[in-house]
């Protein structure tokens, strides 16, 4: 190992190899290295395709609540994991900043949720009310804010906020600073950074023995954890248990760092409820007169590393129209692209990988960064044979796909979001056309779902994307055929 903590020798053996150097992989490496384990973390330093590198890094479990999340036991359990993680963040940040140097990790005090005139009642109003209901259920403090009193918000009149409330306990961090400090902390604790991708998992019989790197080198290890985000599927494909695990696709997203014209930024996160198959519009302070604006979400079979013009234009128009008009005259400092790891049933893949010495930590969609302290400590305990910190059995990777609703319910949700996209992009149609469009879309989408598979229905965003992506159609059909084979 060289002075920077990078591996520079072939044939090195480790206790644990972690494939993936995003926030989940580095967090786990930090915990394990502090416990005296010989840990290697794999991944290129610039983290191409990584979701965490481009994240707004909101520490928001309640802010992410939707009616569809609450519709299943799996979704509610995911929310409760987020609540557990929220309790760990203050100490996690304090320890990280005590042990490393760099810019502050925390960037926002609380989250302000805005209901504005852009959305639809079926999505925005429903999700806004669902967030409030869950805050009340779990006795989490929040307070209503008069729209005219919203700090920093200056939306155009036809996009003005109608209601708002502030959640003082849901903050945000600087993703870049977090990754830098996690890497420094992990190396300082003795972890080894290997600046390469793993291309496959090595195994003998029913036990994993290490990984093969892109260079052809093999790193041997007693234990392998797959935490490579949307790129994890390539590694799962190298394993005999791979077909029994929900396939991974990418939730490609575009975000931007903006240097504001007047050098100001809000104190808190400003966001809408989740909408349009995505995580809602959000603006996050980043210091030095910068704000983070995010983020789009498009399901894609393969991770992307460049932004499409339409996504960037849509994002920037939303930001200046719905949050602050003078953002239109501000500078775009950086355009970022990330890929959220999305399983084909929409739920995380967390736990035993079905082979001795293998664990899987991915499929977290929009929640991986927020869950990272909880998952890092839980996986470390599992690897070391200790009592787990969290109940992850529901998200065991080897499973049949979870159903997020009946076929009709999923199609109804899809159409609500599809129509919402039109209104968010300011379409102008005769008032009765909304009903006419829905009348045509619903039977057509139901027919498409029937054609895709007679039994299984993917989550709404995957069903929507499949209509335009033959490769995704092929993967879904193959996956569902495999599910029937192993049922």
């Amino acid at each position: 190992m060289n002075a920077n903590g990078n591996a520079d020798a072939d044939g090195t053996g480790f206790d644990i190899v972690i494939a993936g150097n995003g926030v989940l992989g580095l967090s786990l490496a930090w915990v394990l290295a502090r416990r005296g384990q010989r840990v290697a973390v794999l991944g290129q330093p610039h983290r191409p395709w990584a979701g965490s590198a481009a994240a707004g890094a909101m520490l928001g479990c309640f802010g992410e609540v939707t009616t569809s999340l609450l519709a299943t036991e799996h979704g509610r359990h995911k929310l409760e994991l987020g609540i557990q993680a929220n309790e760990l963040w203050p100490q996690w940040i304090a320890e990280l900043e005590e042990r490393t140097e760099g810019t502050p990790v925390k960037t926002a005090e609380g989250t302000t949720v805005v209901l504005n005139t852009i959305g639809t009642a079926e999505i925005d109003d429903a999700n806004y009310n669902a967030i409030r209901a869950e805050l009340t259920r779990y006795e989490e403090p929040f307070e209503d804010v008069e729209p005219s009193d919203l700090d920093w918000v200056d939306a155009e009149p036809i996009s003005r906020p109608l209601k708002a409330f502030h959640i003082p306990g849901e903050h945000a961090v600087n993703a870049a600073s977090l990754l830098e400090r996690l890497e420094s902390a992990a190396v300082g604790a003795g972890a080894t950074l290997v600046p390469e991708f793993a291309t496959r998992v090595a195994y003998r019989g029913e036990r994993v023995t290490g990984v093969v790197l892109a260079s052809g080198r093999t790193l041997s290890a007693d234990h392998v954890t797959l935490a490579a985000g949307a790129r994890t599927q390539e590694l799962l494909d190298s394993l005999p248990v791979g077909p029994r695990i929900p396939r991974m696709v990418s939730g490609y997203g575009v975000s931007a760092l903006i240097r504001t014209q007047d050098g100001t930024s809000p104190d808190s996160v400003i966001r809408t409820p989740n909408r349009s198959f995505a995580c809602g519009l959000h603006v996050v302070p980043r210091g030095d007169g910068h704000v983070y604006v995010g983020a789009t979400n498009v399901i894609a079979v393969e991770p992307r590393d460049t932004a499409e013009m339409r996504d960037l234009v849509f994002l920037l128009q939303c930001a200046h129209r719905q949050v602050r008009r003078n953002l239109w005259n501000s500078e775009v400092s950086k355009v970022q692209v990330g890929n959220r790891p999305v399983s084909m049933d929409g739920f995380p893949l967390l736990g035993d990988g079905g082979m001795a010495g293998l664990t899987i930590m991915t499929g977290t969609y929009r929640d991986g960064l927020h869950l990272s302290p909880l998952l890092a400590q839980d996986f470390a305990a599992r690897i070391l044979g200790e009592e787990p910190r969290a109940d992850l059995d529901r998200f065991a990777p080897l499973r049949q796909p979870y159903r997020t609703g009946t076929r009709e319910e999923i199609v109804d949700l899809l159409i609500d979001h599809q129509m919402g996209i039109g209104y968010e992009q300011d379409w102008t149609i005769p008032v009765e056309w909304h009903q006419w469009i829905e009348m045509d879309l619903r039977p057509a989408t139901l027919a498409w779902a029937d054609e895709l598979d007679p039994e299984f229905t993917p989550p709404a965003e995957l069903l929507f994307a499949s209509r335009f992506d033959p490769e995704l159609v092929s993967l879904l059909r193959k996956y569902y055929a495999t599910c029937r084979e192993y049922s």
Side-chain angles (χ1 to χ4, degrees), residues 255-269:
S255 61
L257 287 178
I258 307 294
R259 184 192 300 274
T260 61
Q261 181 195 38
D262 53 13
T264 66
S265 61
D267 294 326
S268 72
V269 174

Side-chain angles (χ1 to χ4, degrees), residues 8 28 53 105 158 192 326 342 395 443-444 458 483:
D8 55 7
L28 177 59
V105 175
I158 62 172
T192 298
N326 75 2
V342 185
F395 301 126
C483 290

Side-chain angles (χ1 to χ4, degrees), residues 50-235:
S52 50
M58 297 178 289
L59 307 182
C61 50
F62 290 103
E64 291 290 311
V65 164
T66 63
T67 55
S68 56
L69 178 77
L70 302 176
T72 67
E73 292 182 6
H74 313 303
R76 182 163 291 283
H77 186 64
K78 188 177 178 184
L79 169 61
E80 291 177 351
L81 289 177
I83 294 170
Q84 284 183 259
N86 214 33
E87 297 171 354
L88 300 177
W89 271 100
Q91 182 178 353
W92 187 257
I93 292 174
E95 290 187 10
L96 195 58
E97 291 189 331
E98 179 183 344
R99 296 169 185 271
T100 60
E101 296 181 354
T103 56
V105 175
K106 186 176 171 185
T107 67
E109 287 289 340
T111 291
T112 301
V113 182
V114 174
L115 177 66
N116 63 21
T117 60
I118 291 296
T120 64
E122 296 88 347
I123 302 171
D124 289 63
D125 289 48
N127 289 341
Y128 183 89
N129 292 331
I131 296 169
R132 293 173 63 91
E134 294 309 304
L135 287 164
T136 301
R137 179 195 300 271
Y138 288 97
E139 300 181 342
E140 181 71 17
F142 70 98
E143 56 186 349
D144 290 315
V145 181
E146 283 295 324
S148 59
D149 294 333
L150 285 171
D151 178 47
W152 205 75
V153 174
D154 179 33
E156 66 175 5
I158 62 172
S159 304
R160 67 189 182 278
L162 302 173
K163 299 178 181 179
F165 61 86
H166 184 73
I167 310 172
E170 295 207 339
H171 311 298
V173 297
N174 183 325
S177 175
L178 177 65
L179 286 166
E180 288 173 3
R181 284 183 179 266
L182 281 170
E183 187 173 280
S184 176
V187 170
T192 298
L193 305 181
V194 181
E196 292 188 60
F197 289 130
T199 57
R200 63 182 177 88
V201 180
Y203 62 93
R204 184 178 299 111
E206 296 296 317
R207 167 170 287 281
V208 298
T209 59
V211 296
V212 178
L213 304 177
S215 63
R217 293 192 303 151
T218 297
L219 293 184
S220 62
D222 299 325
H223 192 100
V224 174
T225 296
L226 304 184
R231 300 292 301 183
T232 305
Q233 187 60 49
E234 180 181 351
L235 300 173

Side-chain angles (χ1 to χ4, degrees), residues 464-480:
F464 175 74
S466 70
R467 297 201 69 179
F468 314 101
D469 190 339
E471 188 177 0
L472 179 57
V473 172
S474 177
L475 289 177
L476 283 166
R477 285 175 172 161
K478 289 178 182 177
Y479 169 57
Y480 292 146

